[in-house]
Amino acid sequence: MANAPDRRSAWIPWAFVGFMAFVVAVNGVMVYFALSTFTGTTVDRAYERGRLYNEVLAEAERQAAFGWRFELRWAPATEPHAGRLVIAATDRHGAPLEGLAIEGKVLRPLGRPEPIPLALAQTGSGRYVVPVTLDGAGQWEVRLAARRGADGPVQFRERIIVR
């Protein structure tokens, strides 16, 4: 009795199994990195903020009634990731705002590193400055709150790109 010759195509099912194993391994690596690097939320207490959205709108109206406007500028220094945040503050008529107490923080929009606190000092007519050294290049969010006596706080947010 003669033996049947070996088929040359016997490797095809094993190639399919190997390819599928490769796909599962790559997907597993991608799932690991996705879950370990992103917290899943960009706003703390998102559910409560959603439920109380009418209060958020009322607070935005209260702040808009002041008519304060802020213009933010990043002035880089010679050291890497260092510079100055310069704020020009004006009222609704374009007149400079004097005597504001402006405090805040700068942080990564999606990361969870510690925020860098800011306390701006007035250096001119409606101009406030603070030197800052950041942890690295990229996108940063500046969050400020301005007060003048009993007026305020008026909050201001803007993103900057640091190269």
Side-chain angles (χ1 to χ4, degrees), residues 3-4 16 31-32 45 68 70 89 125 127 138 141 143 156 162:
N3 288 341
F16 180 75
V31 166
Y32 169 77
R45 300 184 324 270
W68 295 357
F70 301 96
S125 181
R127 181 182 155 115
E141 183 171 321
R143 297 180 184 179
F156 170 74
V162 176

Side-chain angles (χ1 to χ4, degrees), residues 1 11 24 50 57 69 79 97 103 108 112 114-115 119 126 129 143-144:
M1 185 161 174
W11 62 271
V24 168
L57 291 176
R69 290 176 175 69
E79 300 86 34
L97 284 169
E103 293 183 346
R108 292 280 190 180
R112 292 291 181 198
E114 290 298 315
V129 177
R143 297 180 184 179
L144 302 174

Side-chain angles (χ1 to χ4, degrees), residues 94-107:
L97 284 169
E98 304 289 335
L100 293 179
I102 303 178
E103 293 183 346
K105 58 188 170 186
V106 61
L107 49 91

Side-chain angles (χ1 to χ4, degrees), residues 74-86 129-134 162:
W74 170 253
T78 56
E79 300 86 34
H81 318 303
R84 296 178 309 143
L85 287 172
V86 181
V129 177
V130 63
V132 181
T133 301
L134 302 172
V162 176

Side-chain angles (χ1 to χ4, degrees), residues 147-161:
R147 300 175 191 270
R148 182 168 60 184
D151 293 341
V154 174
Q155 297 182 359
F156 170 74
R157 287 183 180 195
E158 189 169 320
R159 291 192 179 179
I160 60 172
I161 305 281

Side-chain angles (χ1 to χ4, degrees), residues 7-83:
R7 291 188 331 190
R8 292 186 178 189
S9 61
W11 62 271
I12 293 176
W14 291 110
F16 180 75
V17 170
F19 177 74
M20 293 311 287
F22 175 75
V23 168
V24 168
V26 168
N27 284 339
V29 168
M30 293 172 81
V31 166
Y32 169 77
F33 283 122
L35 294 176
S36 66
T37 60
F38 181 57
T39 61
T41 60
T42 59
V43 176
D44 293 331
R45 300 184 324 270
Y47 175 73
E48 288 82 9
R49 283 187 57 120
R51 275 188 343 115
L52 303 174
Y53 190 63
N54 287 337
E55 292 176 18
V56 171
L57 291 176
E59 176 63 16
E61 274 185 40
R62 183 195 69 77
Q63 291 183 33
F66 285 104
W68 295 357
R69 290 176 175 69
F70 301 96
E71 184 179 316
L72 174 71
R73 186 172 58 88
W74 170 253
T78 56
E79 300 86 34
H81 318 303

